Amino acid sequence: MRILVTGVTGFVGQHLVRAWHQQFPTAEIWGVLREEENRATPLHGHFTLDLTDDAAVHHQFSQDCAFDWIVHLAAQSFVPESFAHPQETWQVNLWGTFHLLEALRQGAFQGRLLFVGSGGEYGKVEEDHLPVHEQHPLRPLDPYTASKAAAEMLCSQYRHMAPFDIVLARSFNHSGPGQSPQFVVANFARQVAQIDLGQQEPVLTVGNIEVTRDFLDVRDVVEAYRCLLERGQSGEAYNVCSGREVPLAEVIATLVGCASRPIEVRIDPTRLRPTDAPRVCGSHEKLTAHTGWQPQRDITATLREAVAYWKSELTR
């Protein structure tokens, strides 16, 4: 089996490759890298490619389209960055996906592609519609989730004109060791680690904590992607989520509890987002019914691992 992963050096990509090396020891796992990235994850092979470069993408896949699975992770996925640079976000997330799909169609790819979208595509969901199911309308609130929703529609169209399967994942918040401190849980975990090591004053700086989120461990997410590629139905969208609504204040309390000294939690107005759904909770009922997947890891353990990871990184 040959597997190709775009965005392979990202947080999820690195966890995915490590897990699938163990699950598929005879598989060839290839990665798509941007030129400026360093390859830390062991791969059978890789090629350097900017998915926004139409000619380069078509040239690459005219040479080799013989993959069984393609996992399309490559994206600009940081919401504040999408507000600061919306054009770049759309170019990467929508046009990068278009170039990939069209090059695969012309290259006669005949395997299965997993497009990874976001649970944020639903936007603000009314309380009586929580947990949100896949049939709920998409009402994205920022350039990141809007570009993901548009790319998902593109995938739906290509399913009817291309000789390959496409399965859609709408992934909710996920975290774990190795995540960039750009993202909320990793940022808080890093701050707690710095405080515990005496590298920062005992103040945890946060944004809006009067919200709830649906958190998953990244390793559960990777397992969901495997299940979708093996058993998901082509053309269908699936929520990848825990099904549990967790107050962000509870997450912060768990992280602060990992420190050996008292920590003050202080709200920084510059961290507040112009659009923020007050409550987020998804249903994985469809994913479970079609594939048998269930979340396995407790988020409390994930949060503790995140703090331990940053303590290790900061003392190297």
Side-chain angles (χ1 to χ4, degrees), residues 49-224:
L49 185 63
D50 179 355
L51 291 176
T52 66
D53 185 337
D54 188 20
V57 174
H58 278 76
H59 175 75
Q60 178 60 52
F61 288 103
S62 69
Q63 306 296 309
D64 185 4
C65 252
F67 295 99
D68 299 285
W69 291 350
I70 296 178
V71 185
H72 184 33
L73 295 171
Q76 195 303 99
S77 57
F78 186 45
V79 171
E81 180 71 13
S82 77
F83 280 112
H85 301 286
Q87 183 174 351
E88 178 186 338
T89 298
W90 280 91
Q91 286 176 338
V92 172
N93 296 353
L94 177 61
W95 287 103
T97 301
F98 169 74
H99 296 152
L100 176 64
L101 291 172
E102 181 60 15
L104 292 174
R105 185 186 71 82
Q106 292 189 21
F109 169 62
Q110 300 199 7
R112 172 165 274 219
L113 181 141
L114 177 68
F115 173 79
V116 177
S118 169
E121 294 171 42
Y122 296 112
K124 291 182 180 179
V125 178
E126 301 84 356
E127 292 188 8
D128 57 351
H129 287 98
L130 293 175
V132 65
H133 290 73
E134 289 82 357
Q135 67 268 27
H136 194 277
L138 304 182
R139 299 189 179 105
L141 299 171
D142 53 75
Y144 164 62
T145 54
S147 61
K148 279 294 188 180
E152 185 178 298
M153 293 297 292
L154 185 66
C155 288
S156 296
Q157 181 238 314
Y158 263 80
R159 186 179 72 86
H160 296 288
M161 59 181 284
F164 54 89
D165 287 343
I166 302 177
V167 183
L168 309 170
R170 294 177 186 157
S171 300
F172 286 61
N173 294 71
H174 43 280
S175 193
Q179 189 174 31
S180 166
Q182 283 184 312
F183 296 93
V184 61
V185 170
N187 183 279
F188 294 165
R190 188 177 191 273
Q191 288 190 66
V192 169
Q194 288 177 307
I195 291 168
D196 212 33
L197 294 169
Q199 299 176 1
Q200 176 180 320
E201 64 174 331
V203 176
L204 178 64
T205 305
V206 301
N208 181 12
I209 62 173
E210 302 299 321
V211 297
T212 67
R213 293 292 180 263
D214 185 320
F215 290 102
L216 263 185
D217 186 289
V218 64
R219 288 152 292 195
D220 278 336
V221 172
V222 166
E223 180 64 9

Side-chain angles (χ1 to χ4, degrees), residues 238-255:
Y238 294 88
N239 290 339
V240 179
C241 58
S242 71
R244 181 182 171 224
E245 189 177 2
V246 180
L248 192 55
E250 182 180 312
V251 169
I252 291 170
T254 299
L255 292 169

